[in-house]
Amino acid sequence: MQVPAQFRYEKASSVEHALTLLDRFGAESRVVAGGHSLIPMMKLRLAQPEALIDINDLDELATISVEQSTLCIGALVRHTDLLSSALVGEHFPIFADAERVIADPVVRNRGTVGGSLCQADPSEDLSAAFAAVRGEAVIQSADGVRTVPVREFFVGPYQTVVEPGELLVQLRVPIRSSASAYLKVERRAGDWAVAAAGAELRLADGVLAETGIGLTALGAPNFHASEAEDFLTGGPATDERFAEAGRIAARHCNPIADQRGPEAYKRHLAATLVDRVLRVARTRWNGLHPEEEAR
Amino acid sequence: MTAVEQPETPLGHGNMRRKEDARFIRGRGTYVDDVTLPGMLHGAVLRSPYAHARIVSIDTSAAQAHPKVRAVITGETLAGLNLAWMPTLSHDVQAVLATDKVRFQGQEVAFVVAEDRYSARDALELIDVDYEALPPVIDARQALAEDAPVIRDDLEGRTDNHIFDWESGDAAATDDVFASAEVVAAQDMLYPRVHPAPLETCGAVADMDAVTGKLTVWTTTQAPHAHRTIYALVAGLPEHKIRIISPDIGGGFGNKVGIYPGYVCAVVGSIVTGKPVKWVEDRSENLMSTSFARDYHMHGEIAATKDGRILGLRVNVLADHGAFNGTAQPTKFPAGFFGVFTGSYDLEAAHCSVTGVYTNKAPGGVAYACSFRITEAVYLVERLVDVLAFDLGMDPAELRMKNLLRPEQFPYRSKTGWEYDSGDYPTALRAALDLADYPALRAEQALKRERGEQMGIGVAFFTEAVGAGPRKHMDILGLGMADGAELRVHPTGKAVLRLSCQTQGQGHETTFAQIVGEELGISPDDIDVVHGDTDQTPFGLGTYGSRSTPVSGAAAAVVARKVRERARIVASAMLEVSADDLEWEKGRWFVRGDVEAGRTIQEIALAAHSDLELPEGVEGHLDATCVYNPPNLTYPFGAYVCVVDVDADTGQVTVRRFVAVDDCGVRINPMIVEGQVHGGLADGVGMALMQVMAFDEDGNHLGGSFMDYLLPTSMECPSWELGETVTPSPHHPIGAKGIGESATVGSPAAVVNAVVDALRPFGVRHADMPLTPAAVWSAAQGTPLRTDLAIT
Amino acid sequence: MIMEVTVTVNGHAYTRTIEPRLLLTHFLRDELGLTGTHWGCDTSNCGTCVVWLDDVPVKSCTVLAVMADGRQVRTVEGLEGADGLDPVQQGFVACHGLQCGFCTPGMLMTARWLIDHNPAPSEGDIREAISGQLCRCTGYENIVRSVRWAAEHEAGVREHTVEEAGTEVQA
């Protein structure tokens, strides 16, 4: 079996302690929570941090709550808890849709929401889901707390705005009347996405007052399809416009050919999945608002 | 389907819980990595990052200086011991540790022995190898090009990458049939490179006792006796001083037939350090360096009349054997049993030619429950029959029914010279179609097509040839493929059966006890099966090619019958009657015409060990040995129906139903037979839909972990629906034929046929495996061949 | 760097001095000799290493042993109690839910957890629960049946030997 190289191990007892440790060990240290992205990379020796800072004991980061009409998801919340949270499911079913197809149930018992976002894998499902609902990332350091929109959180593949000495502590999503959904094409249960799309929408007076479209594994800038969103917002939620939004999203993403398929196929999936996921979200909206049913 | 309680152990054949389960459900199995010896050291292999490169230099000094490293072994070390190269199972040689060049990515370059497994891994990073990269040959279709780099320049006089040409059948007669045929359909198809990927990787614990000179190797082997002989030949060690122990094996499927360099390195490591050395490969090493399977580029043609009578088959194959010819099959069969490609059909002529080539990929080729390449043969013919049905506009089930061999044609000599022992093919196909309710499926499909939904129904029929094999035709490295068995009945009537073959999950400890139990009327609970230890068991060739029941199972029955005859003589002495006047009922000899006057096998066993006076020339005790040399192969067969739903817009395939009717002759333990079928069907879904070992143009392996080499999970497998027919083998002592590989052989074609059938509205006539979402979508767009696998 | 950890495994507290990089799988197998927990890949895909960490199934090849310091671990060796075999163990025997036995410990641990949280799991529930654990022998069919058997026999008598557990096969 592949095994990690040697490292120093520190267990953080509080967020403040974690930040102290991050300061002490600097850029060569890594935060570990579920470890399901980091430890395999360490076994392959693609990652060889000098120190690991274990934040698994930071219970204060493991809660899901509503504060001032904002859904607050701690960075240490396990995937399985996000999946099973009634609170999250009530407001943003997109997360349950996405979590149901992330890895497998046993991995979901251990892997964390914050870990997934910080890994910044170009195929990460939660990145697209949070981008779709316009979530915010709360990042803490010894200097204080800063909040970054998830749509500005990613700098590039496997790169985020989290600096050495900083810790992602929470994800926040403003609660509003909306409907959301997530669809993924995978080669097999538990595999990373061939392509996936998430959608969030709100209708007012028969037109889309708000539209969010998240994309993953498709090379979409910051995991969302802004041109398709712009096209939709302000107009009716019709099949024809959803299909056109899919085509726009397909034109503006930048998928790369790999073992999961050629570029043309992935672009086709972008169009298909955006169209389909918008329809699912619309169906959910209609279920919540039968009095003003969209077409 | 209803559950049936069967708490009683049958007195022989029948459903029975497995004896081996008691340890496995408690986590008390002993697999190779569970073996720990006092003072044991740990080995790790350094592997080549290049597919083809010359080794300029290897600097091991930093690794040697690591405080926990006990030895670093390179090809140079081995060359000094004349162990740098070892024979393969196909009369080629393979580098144990590379000396001149590396010839595939993942090839073994150096071996570190350290005090613990983590330190051994650390030390690998301290070895500095200077490589000079060479252009690789990755696409088998380029291997014979004029300007192709010569991979095997280690072989004297070698100027190209050609390994062999082999043919079977009558070329002229086949050409005649094709020239006059009303219809000819042709299709290129690739059976891609796949890997058996048992969950336990390969490994060994080698312990050379410097005082006694005895080498003991606990190792993942499906063929312990063959391994012992090969170690003797490789290392020059006396064979009686080698003991191979194959403990519990976490799945084999053909992956654990050959000898891998890591095993030899562990042995050398033990000799060099004087300590036991454990080496267990990681998953990437397993996938990248051990026996792959398939990799057959096939061009098939089928000739028929307009009304669908199949007349002939003509096939050309380009076989990618990797960098060393290490295929494991009987010597006279370089393409394995691909010669049975005429399948289950009555035709006039057939011919195939196979060309084997070297490429810069791992060696192997015959592995993965393939019955020596019958997977490839069945896939070819079953795809061609569907292609013919497509061209003729005929129903594929009807076309098969029209052409299947008829029961009265058995024993049937095929056009390529194989003698099929027994079969009733139409009954099996009808049973499968009935179980699936085929007409209702076709009606549902028609309705769905009107709605624009894609549903596919795939039919496949297969004939296997297993139980290798008759000694006059079949050997591996000169070792004839007969199996020994020894049976000893203890004074109290309990027994021990010693076998040469080795279970990897097939339940031999149960099934073989049942075979003896059936013959002697002793409860299988009272029969211990000993296997997997060359010091404790008679010689035999091992478990692969579905040969355990056909060969060792026959040996077990024959040796039990020998004991039964010995018991008859003892009973005649006990009853003071002539042996000719005794009759057998299960577990007991009695006097003909006087049922009350008899002796049980237990009473006879005690008497055989007592002071009872036996007839002149009859030895005491109750035991026997035998060597079973099969007179012919056995020919299991079956009919499969697969139903899929396809989302043509995303390319996603859902296997909704899978019906499998298998005929493996007499079933010793039906529960175990069905379990074996289940596993093979999952293999078929895996190979058809997701499993593939792909490479980029530089020879980088793109499937080197379970993240990229996808195996089916519980979510992709439907609830299997099984049926059976029973056509006993006429030449096997108990009429059994073997079942271990049937489903793996037969199911890929059924799944692919179903997906292609679903895509019929798109004009799709063929699509290459694996039918991933991208491949299905591409097929619907008019690109059915997997050119991306071959890297053109 | 070496550290002292105390991990409670199947109710027994074990204190060992280890490197922080030691994986929980290796801690169980090499330090404690509990070899029922297997490993089959390096990427947390195969699930042969599943154990419970504080009552939740995890893949122990992707957990550091130091992370289990002060915590509870339950392995396959902890399934059988003084009152006999666990129903999931009996179910796998009765329904032929194992062949080579390599995936079995991980499957048993997940099955036990599933039934604890869902006393009457459907076929779909079971397939979902084991979807991150590969089996190369059974095609999953008999594993699903075994788990259902266990759920149905949860209240039944705990057998002490498998010989007393009946064979249950589909006719």
Side-chain angles (χ1 to χ4, degrees), chain C residues 17-40:
Chain C
T17 302
I18 59 169
E19 286 186 335
R21 64 171 167 165
L22 185 69
L23 300 167
L24 180 58
T25 320
H26 287 143
F27 179 79
L28 296 168
R29 293 177 52 79
D30 297 345
E31 297 289 326
L32 307 186
L34 296 171
T35 56
T37 300
H38 301 143
W39 60 269

Side-chain angles (χ1 to χ4, degrees), chain B residues 196 253-254 294 367-372 375 464 683 740-742 744-745:
Chain B
F253 316 111
R294 330 285 194 251
Y368 201 174
C370 69
S371 300
F372 302 121
T375 30
E464 276 228 89
D683 274 330
E741 300 171 318
S742 284
T744 312
V745 166

Side-chain angles (χ1 to χ4, degrees), chain A residues 2 45 188-189 265 268 276, chain B residues 122 647 649-650 711 716:
Chain A
Q2 295 164 8
R45 308 211 170 181
R188 191 206 65 188
Y265 167 63
H268 168 79
R276 287 186 183 182
Chain B
D122 291 345
D647 181 338
D649 222 11
T650 63
L711 297 167
E716 288 73 43

